[in-house]
Amino acid sequence: MHTVVLGASGTTAAEVLAVARHDARVQLSEEAESALAAARAVIDALAAGTDPVYGVSTGFGALATRPIGPHLRARLQRNIVRSHAAGIGPRVEREVVRALMFLRLKTLCSGRTGVRPEVAHALADLLNAGITPVVHEHGSLGCSGDLAPLSHCALALMGEGDAEGPDGTVRPAADLLAAHRLHPVELREKEGLALLNGTDGMLGMLLMALADLDRLYTSADITAALTLEALLGSVRVLAPELHAIRPHPGQGAAAANMLAVLRGSGLTGHHQDEAPRVQDAYSVRCAPQVAGAGRDTLAHARLVAERELAAAVDNPVVLPDGQVESNGNFHGAPVGYVLDFLAIAVADLASIAERRTDRLLDRNRSHGLPAFLAEDPGVDSGLMIAQYTQAALVAELKRLAVPASADSIPSSAMQEDHVSLGWSAARKLRTAVDHLTRVLAVEAYAATRALELRAGMVPAEASRAVIAAARAAGIEGPGPDRFLAPDLAAADAFVRGGALVRAAESVTGPLA
């Protein structure tokens, strides 16, 4: 377990993943400490003055017109956390909550929010103790950022609400703080608002989706290559010179991956039942173009995420010259758009993989393979219903591709009259990534079985390595019908855990 040191200028995707998924410890740098202290001095000076300042000496949102006297300001900050912790529904995953907390801490350390250093330290202590506040699925509109989810985290800092301890048990937050010798935070001017006013939940989920999709797009190139090989397809469409004349980077990378996997194959180009087969079907021939477009979408989403990682998202903010200004930087549109864009790309990648699988199972289109890859078609159904499962997942992925960010619903007495719904876009993308994993698992299962059914032909070395790894992982090969769900679960784990990619790369070297 290593330590991530937060400065005042943002963080990296790798650091977010280290904290969220691998429980890396968090430490504040001297630069962050200085930035926090300097910004707090500005807020303290404003709090001592007579002019109303939003979030310091006024109410919030549609109630911002009411001045709040000094004797009520601590209560105001407590109340905004309590009232905004209004989530409902199932618990959000631990890794999402840890990412959300760490990204909020990142913004606090920028010195643009005006919280005291002890508030930032308290949030770091919560992460380091492995205490994860209970955050609920529903509640964020992505308008002033992820208000409800962040409020549930701030509530735990105050020693209220529930949280999960490092042992996985949910207990009152006050009990967990006491067990780790931590003290509840007494919030002062601006601090409640600063703890809950950011795009941190949607950004954290975007970063994790990007990491997962990096692996899945490589996996998709491998499964497409295996299917092309099992269908005796042509590798000529993967030639670098063909992709150079349409120079989309993702397309070139996908074609290069497929070509590397298929190097030395004894199956490609045989055209067993046609003399010759002029060209392969789109789902095979256009695999690099579809996967490549998705790869380029990932690159754009990563650029947006990197910009957001460098941002300080709060309202109001303390500017470098000491001015405190209201703004709209908490709006989730930049992140929401790319979350939705990725869901579209994921649905299309799954759709083309399902079409390839169906082609493997159809004896009229599989160029000599038995119907449904069954041992005795008619007596055995083979992988017929595995394709049904895959098709059901693809159908849901198409529904999940409907953009959340194209919608809006007004809130806060029409003060927040155009919202991003970025949290919703992030939640459905997480489901989409899970479904894509399963769709590719079914294609990998079918393609490895089909290759083994090509008796007397020698697959590429990388293909043989994938088949051997799949069998070692408990994914059975051809044979009579058996209980199929365990094989599909093993194939899911094979793709999800990266074993598919590792097996191919043991021959090809690193793939893009």
Side-chain angles (χ1 to χ4, degrees):
M1 184 187 300
H2 70 280
T3 298
V4 172
V5 180
L6 268 177
S9 56
T11 187
T12 66
E15 289 175 336
V16 175
L17 293 172
V19 173
R21 289 182 161 172
H22 306 295
D23 291 338
R25 294 184 62 80
V26 181
Q27 180 180 323
L28 275 59
S29 70
E30 290 184 7
E31 176 197 31
E33 300 272 9
S34 298
L36 284 158
R40 185 64 203 181
V42 172
I43 296 300
D44 285 341
L46 290 171
T50 57
D51 292 336
V53 179
Y54 177 68
V56 177
S57 53
T58 72
F60 308 112
L63 303 175
T65 55
R66 177 181 170 179
I68 307 296
H71 65 293
L72 291 175
R73 289 176 188 170
R75 178 180 164 191
L76 171 71
Q77 299 301 322
R78 287 195 302 272
N79 283 352
I80 191 176
V81 172
R82 289 169 175 164
S83 66
H84 286 46
I88 197 168
R91 283 179 57 194
V92 171
E93 303 85 0
R94 181 178 185 270
E95 66 177 13
V96 172
V97 179
R98 285 185 61 82
L100 178 148
M101 294 164 65
F102 177 68
L103 288 166
R104 183 77 322 224
L105 178 59
K106 176 268 298 184
T107 285
L108 299 184
C109 289
S110 71
R112 297 285 169 257
T113 71
V115 305
R116 291 167 296 151
E118 47 262 55
V119 175
H121 281 289
L123 191 50
D125 289 342
L126 211 63
L127 285 164
N128 291 339
I131 298 172
T132 307
V134 170
V135 173
H136 299 280
E137 176 85 16
H138 306 292
S140 175
L141 293 175
C143 46
S144 297
D146 294 317
L147 289 173
L150 283 162
S151 296
H152 281 276
C153 294
L155 198 67
L157 279 184
M158 292 166 45
E160 300 180 21
D162 292 328
E164 178 186 302
D167 63 353
T169 302
V170 174
R171 299 167 56 190
D175 293 350
L176 284 167
L177 292 179
H180 289 83
R181 299 181 180 179
L182 302 175
H183 301 287
V185 174
E186 294 286 342
L187 298 176
R188 288 172 43 182
E189 293 92 348
K190 179 65 171 62
E191 291 176 340
L193 185 63
L195 284 169
L196 53 89
N197 214 352
T199 56
D200 308 295
M202 62 184 89
L203 175 59
M205 286 185 275
L206 172 60
L207 293 168
M208 285 183 278
L210 288 170
D212 294 339
L213 288 171
D214 274 343
R215 181 188 70 253
L216 290 175
Y217 268 84
T218 303
S219 300
D221 294 338
I222 296 168
T223 62
L226 297 176
T227 299
L228 181 152
E229 189 175 25
L231 291 171
L232 310 178
S234 172
V235 295
R236 289 178 296 178
V237 296
L238 305 175
E241 57 270 24
L242 293 176
H243 298 279
I245 62 175
R246 195 187 190 195
H248 294 290
Q251 176 180 325
N257 280 351
M258 291 180 66
L259 200 58
V261 171
L262 293 170
R263 188 168 291 116
S265 172
L267 283 78
T268 56
H270 271 250
H271 307 312
Q272 182 184 29
D273 54 353
E274 297 175 18
R277 190 188 320 167
V278 176
Q279 52 190 8
D280 294 310
Y282 280 16
S283 60
V284 177
R285 183 169 24 124
C286 300
Q289 285 77 7
V290 172
R295 285 173 169 273
D296 292 342
T297 301
L298 285 177
H300 170 63
R302 188 170 290 109
L303 176 62
V304 171
E306 288 169 355
R307 291 169 177 162
E308 199 74 358
L309 282 169
V313 178
D314 194 14
N315 180 49
V317 291
V318 182
L319 294 173
D321 63 2
Q323 294 296 307
V324 176
E325 298 286 355
S326 289
N327 67 91
N329 285 344
F330 49 71
H331 198 283
V335 182
Y337 289 170
V338 295
L339 287 162
D340 280 333
F341 198 174
L342 288 173
I344 292 169
V346 163
D348 200 36
L349 185 64
S351 180
I352 197 171
E354 182 275 330
R355 289 292 80 205
R356 289 192 297 263
T357 303
D358 182 65
R359 186 165 288 271
L360 286 169
L361 305 188
D362 184 353
R363 67 178 180 178
N364 296 312
R365 296 179 290 141
S366 66
H367 311 292
L369 291 168
F372 303 107
L373 306 181
E375 180 164 281
D376 185 3
V379 174
D380 294 311
S381 294
L383 304 191
M384 179 192 294
I385 307 305
Q387 184 268 329
Y388 282 35
T389 299
Q390 197 185 39
L393 290 164
V394 171
E396 182 160 344
L397 280 164
K398 292 175 182 178
R399 296 191 290 273
L400 292 167
V402 176
S405 58
D407 194 7
S408 178
I409 190 163
S411 57
S412 192
M414 295 298 287
Q415 176 73 3
E416 297 171 2
D417 59 353
H418 184 81
V419 301
S420 76
L421 295 173
W423 173 273
S424 300
R427 295 307 294 167
K428 68 185 183 67
L429 179 60
R430 280 182 72 83
T431 302
V433 170
D434 269 351
H435 284 4
L436 174 62
T437 305
R438 297 174 183 121
V439 168
L440 295 177
V442 175
E443 183 181 18
Y445 183 35
T448 54
R449 177 185 279 214
L451 285 169
E452 288 188 303
L453 289 170
R454 292 291 189 190
M457 295 182 172
V458 181
E461 185 182 356
S463 302
R464 298 198 304 273
V466 168
I467 293 168
R471 303 297 169 254
I475 307 165
E476 294 192 33
D481 281 356
R482 57 182 172 270
F483 180 25
L484 209 55
D487 274 2
L488 296 182
D492 180 14
F494 185 62
V495 174
R496 191 178 300 273
L500 169 67
V501 174
R502 290 193 295 275
E505 289 184 334
S506 69
V507 175
T508 66
L511 296 169

